[in-house]
Amino acid sequence: MRTFRVNDIFYSLQGEGRNTGRAAVFVRFAGCNLRCPFCDTEFETYREMSNEEILDAVKALIPSNQTPFPWGGAGGRLLIVLTGGEPTLQVDETFVDFLHEHGYEVAMESNGTRPAPKNLDWLTVSPKQKPVRQHCNEVKVVFTDAEHVLDFDLEADYYYLQPCDTGDVQRNRAITQACVEYIKAHPQWRLSLQTHKLIDIP
């Protein structure tokens, strides 16, 4: 039986990008092929879990009174966000199909250095170095200054810049202002804020 190295599974709201504010179960996979200095995610520890164990953990988090939209469609399904670490190191189309078969909409957050499963419902690429060429739904670049907006060749539906959280209030304010000015000069970009940090939720 295949198992996955899972760091955490939790239920919250998506805090970033196009799906900001949407309820979702996050499955955080352990391990990453990059070591970004600004990464604020602990993803090294893990436990081995089968796909059925992951599904059981997801179901256990969902409130018993949760109801989908009455008109159905993608908006009526619960969103599962596969994140990390780097989920493409473990997740394949078979696992995505498994989640689809149980009625979930499946999104992934990736650094873009490896091809993502083609059957995802939503793909966010947050490139930290030149990514592999693939279509994604949104590109989300962590912004530190105008000189370091990554030059990449990705086709996406939406392009977001997200001010880097340095942990220093004054530095964060300066980065955010610089990010706003950059977007005003380059309106193909949109601003993404880490709203989960602003309202202090996981």
Side-chain angles (χ1 to χ4, degrees):
M1 176 190 300
R2 183 186 177 189
T3 59
F4 300 86
R5 298 184 304 279
V6 178
N7 169 269
D8 194 14
I9 301 176
F10 60 98
Y11 186 43
S12 187
L13 302 185
Q14 174 59 272
E16 305 169 356
R18 183 71 175 173
N19 286 313
T20 293
R22 186 171 175 188
V25 174
F26 293 80
V27 180
R28 186 178 304 286
F29 292 89
C32 187
N33 56 338
L34 299 180
R35 290 293 181 269
C36 301
F38 52 78
C39 183
D40 59 359
T41 302
E42 195 290 305
F43 53 79
E44 292 298 331
T45 60
Y46 64 87
R47 64 181 178 125
E48 299 277 350
M49 299 181 71
S50 68
N51 55 1
E52 292 288 351
E53 289 172 328
I54 292 172
L55 181 65
D56 288 344
V58 168
K59 289 179 176 179
L61 292 171
I62 301 171
S64 59
N65 63 346
Q66 185 188 82
T67 56
F69 294 133
W71 51 86
R77 293 183 292 163
L78 178 66
L79 180 66
I80 294 181
V81 179
L82 310 177
T83 185
E86 177 47 44
T88 60
L89 295 172
Q90 300 185 63
V91 174
D92 57 15
E93 292 185 9
T94 300
F95 182 68
V96 175
D97 280 340
F98 171 77
L99 295 177
H100 281 157
E101 289 165 5
H102 286 85
Y104 297 101
E105 186 177 352
V106 185
M108 176 180 283
E109 299 174 346
S110 170
N111 62 32
T113 56
R114 296 166 49 86
K118 297 185 184 303
N119 55 343
L120 293 164
D121 298 298
W122 188 269
L123 174 61
T124 299
V125 171
S126 184
K128 314 304 187 299
Q129 63 183 40
K130 193 170 182 63
V132 297
R133 188 169 185 176
Q134 58 187 317
H135 178 271
C136 59
N137 298 98
E138 63 182 359
V139 169
K140 184 184 65 182
V141 174
V142 177
F143 182 95
T144 53
D145 57 62
E147 294 182 3
H148 293 92
V149 175
L150 191 66
D151 181 23
F152 55 84
D153 185 19
L154 276 176
E155 180 185 343
D157 302 318
Y158 304 95
Y159 296 86
Y160 288 97
L161 291 181
Q162 181 167 291
C164 182
D165 180 8
T166 65
D168 179 274
V169 174
Q170 295 299 326
R171 177 70 178 137
N172 285 358
R173 185 175 293 118
I175 288 173
T176 299
Q177 186 58 46
C179 185
V180 168
E181 293 304 317
Y182 187 92
I183 293 171
K184 287 162 66 177
H186 304 83
Q188 66 270 34
W189 292 95
R190 300 182 182 194
L191 181 67
S192 174
L193 298 177
Q194 293 180 295
T195 59
H196 54 293
K197 291 185 178 181
L198 296 175
I199 62 176
D200 194 25
I201 62 172

